[in-house]
Structure formats: C-alpha cells, structure tokens
Amino acid sequence: MEVIIGKSHDELSKAAAQVIADVVNSKPDAVLGLATGSTPLALYKELIRMHTEEGLDFSHCTTFNLDEYVGLTPDHDQSYHYFMNENLFKHINIPPENIHIPSGTTQNYLAFCEWYEMRIEECDGIDIQVLGIGSDGHIAFNEPGSSLGSRTRIKTLAKQTIEDNARFFDKPEDVPIYAITMGVGTILEADTLILLANGESKAQAISDAIEGPVSSWCTASALQLHPDSLLYIDEAAAAKLKMLDYYQWIQDKKPGAPAGS
Ligand code: GLP
C-alpha cells in the first residue's frame, strides 16, 4: 500500500489522474475500473481537462463501473449511469459500446452478474481501478460483512450508507435499498487500485482500512492484500492514522529511494 497524504483533495486527484493518464498513454486499449460518488469528481474533471487540452485519448479504452442502484433506470438523475455520463463519459471520446455499468433494471440479476464478470475476463481484466470509500469502510457497495472473496452480486445497503446517500435524493425513503456491485474479490483482481478519500467523515474508515485488521467488517481493508494499491488521502481523512508521520516520511524520502522501491 502506498499512502499519499496531501492538504488538497484537488491536488491529490490531479496526481491520481496522472497515474491513470500514464496507463492510458502506455496502453491505449487500457481497461479502466471507475467509481461514483463525490470523491472522484475532481479526478474526472482532471481527466476531462487532459482529454480536451492535451489530447488524452480514450478511444480504445474500455471501462467497467463498480456498481449501480437496483431499480434506477439509466436516465434517473441519481443513477450511476447518469452520473458517469454527466461527469465523465459525455466529455471524453470513449466509444459508448466500450462502457460497462451494472444494470439496475435487468430482469435477471444472477445472469447479469455472471455476464459482467465474464466481460471483465474477456477484456483480460481491469488495468487500474478507481475507488472511493464509504463512511463504514465499504468499497463499491461491499458493505460490512461482505466476503473478501465476493464477486459481482446484489447487496443490501447498510442503514449508514442509505443515510449517507440520502442527501442526493428528494426524500430519504427514495434511496434504493439494494445495489448491484462488483465484489471485493473482483476488485482485488485489478492490476492497480487507486483509492481516494477526503474529509473527516472518512477518517475512521481510512484508519480501519489501512491500520486495522484485514476484515470483512471494513471491506476497504482488503486493499492490504493487494500488491499495488495507491491511496490518496487528504489531511482530514488521514487524521486518525497512527503512522501518519511514517507515511509522510516515506513520501519525502521517495526521490532518493533505490529504483523499484
Ligand atoms: C457509494 C458508492 C461508493 C463510494 C461511496 C462514497 O456508496 N457505491 O463507490 O465510494 O458512495 O461516496 P462519496 O464519494 O460521495 O463519499
């Protein structure tokens, strides 16, 4: 795990966007795993800028989103289909047929989940996966108690998540109770993971994810099992880390470190 702590979420998001741009530039047909929520908005803004001003080319990329609410149609303004289109896809040159987002309205969830996993495999897996973190430590919609080996499936949302996400809906009772989500096992198979977190509401989840035991109680802690994960965390979200000074020291000493470290 590489823990990168910074003052500004915008600056951290730009650094994370550069990592993604490097992947796309070195492998034009890269497979990108994407996330929703307020956290990756600045990252997407930077990718759009890189596309518009620097010609970052997504025309051969394929994308897989982490999750979608069950019951919301793609044109619902709180669906993750709508979010991705508004905040990224309509501003870049990704071919629509290369975009994959779990369906919130399929007639057969079991078959859809199997198909989604199969499509990821057919594309030779995800090169780089963007993640946010829920205040209860979830990644995608893998709520506490989700198996660390789980695959794409339906998940019942935790009350905490429903409360957190109620701000986006007209009424709390409008927040869907179920979601279709990649599993923790699916996520761990991506070559590189990038997790972003900002704000004090994420401080406990970040402390549990980085310094707690690996546990289904905090599914982001599964990143400890991944050989190549980058965590971009602002100071408010990093406030509860016990080894904060060490992570900062590592970053300070990075320029002089032997190659490959
Ligand atoms: C939802 C999404 C997660 C996201 C989380 C945090 O639960 N399924 O992928 O990480 O919200 O959202 P935010 O970035 O708005 O705090």
Side-chain angles (χ1 to χ4, degrees):
M1 284 180 130
E2 185 170 349
V3 180
I4 302 127
I5 295 160
K7 276 196 195 323
S8 146
H9 178 59
D10 268 4
E11 288 308 313
L12 292 164
S13 300
K14 283 182 186 161
Q18 189 57 54
V19 174
I20 294 173
D22 290 346
V23 171
V24 173
N25 283 327
S26 64
K27 186 182 176 196
D29 62 347
V31 181
L32 310 177
L34 300 175
T36 51
S38 49
T39 306
L41 283 173
L43 167 95
Y44 294 153
K45 214 169 142 197
E46 177 65 1
L47 289 178
I48 294 166
R49 190 200 63 74
M50 288 170 156
H51 168 68
T52 317
E53 294 176 16
E54 296 166 7
L56 182 62
D57 182 15
F58 295 93
S59 65
H60 297 288
C61 290
T62 298
T63 65
F64 286 91
N65 260 82
L66 288 168
D67 47 13
E68 178 58 286
Y69 287 115
V70 165
L72 299 195
T73 53
D75 62 348
H76 188 290
D77 65 0
Q78 290 308 324
S79 76
Y80 287 169
H81 280 75
Y82 188 90
F83 174 100
M84 288 309 300
N85 196 42
E86 289 301 306
N87 294 299
L88 183 65
F89 296 146
K90 78 177 188 189
H91 306 286
I92 61 172
N93 63 336
I94 179 117
E97 62 276 18
N98 292 6
I99 294 170
H100 302 80
I101 305 178
S103 168
T105 52
T106 175
Q107 293 303 304
N108 186 338
Y109 281 97
L110 200 58
F112 185 91
C113 292
E114 277 173 19
W115 175 83
Y116 205 70
E117 290 276 335
M118 194 194 70
R119 276 300 294 143
I120 296 174
E121 244 182 84
E122 279 171 0
C123 296
D124 286 334
I126 292 171
D127 291 301
I128 188 158
Q129 174 69 58
V130 178
L131 297 166
I133 185 167
S135 64
D136 63 4
H138 71 238
I139 46 174
F141 269 131
N142 292 288
E143 297 286 27
S146 294
S147 157
L148 301 186
S150 52
R151 313 301 306 188
T152 303
R153 70 208 183 292
I154 297 284
K155 199 66 207 164
T156 306
L157 301 185
K159 286 187 180 155
Q160 176 70 55
T161 301
I162 293 173
E163 273 168 32
D164 288 348
N165 293 350
R167 68 189 193 275
F168 299 115
F169 291 81
D170 292 339
K171 304 191 285 297
E173 53 277 25
D174 289 347
V175 186
I177 292 169
Y178 307 102
I180 175 168
T181 180
M182 270 189 211
V184 181
T186 320
I187 293 167
L188 288 180
E189 283 172 10
D191 285 350
T192 300
L193 302 178
I194 288 193
L195 184 143
L196 291 136
N198 64 307
E200 63 178 327
S201 65
K202 303 294 173 68
Q204 188 58 50
I206 282 297
S207 148
D208 294 338
I210 298 176
E211 296 178 338
V214 175
S215 159
S216 64
W217 182 78
C218 168
T219 53
S221 67
L223 268 67
Q224 295 176 35
L225 300 170
H226 196 279
D228 186 16
S229 61
L230 300 166
L231 290 84
Y232 293 90
I233 303 165
D234 81 349
E235 286 177 352
K240 293 194 174 170
L241 288 170
K242 293 189 196 73
M243 302 283 282
L244 188 61
D245 289 349
Y246 180 53
Y247 308 131
Q248 278 166 338
W249 165 260
I250 292 171
Q251 291 304 313
D252 291 348
K253 298 292 164 202
K254 207 174 166 180
S261 58

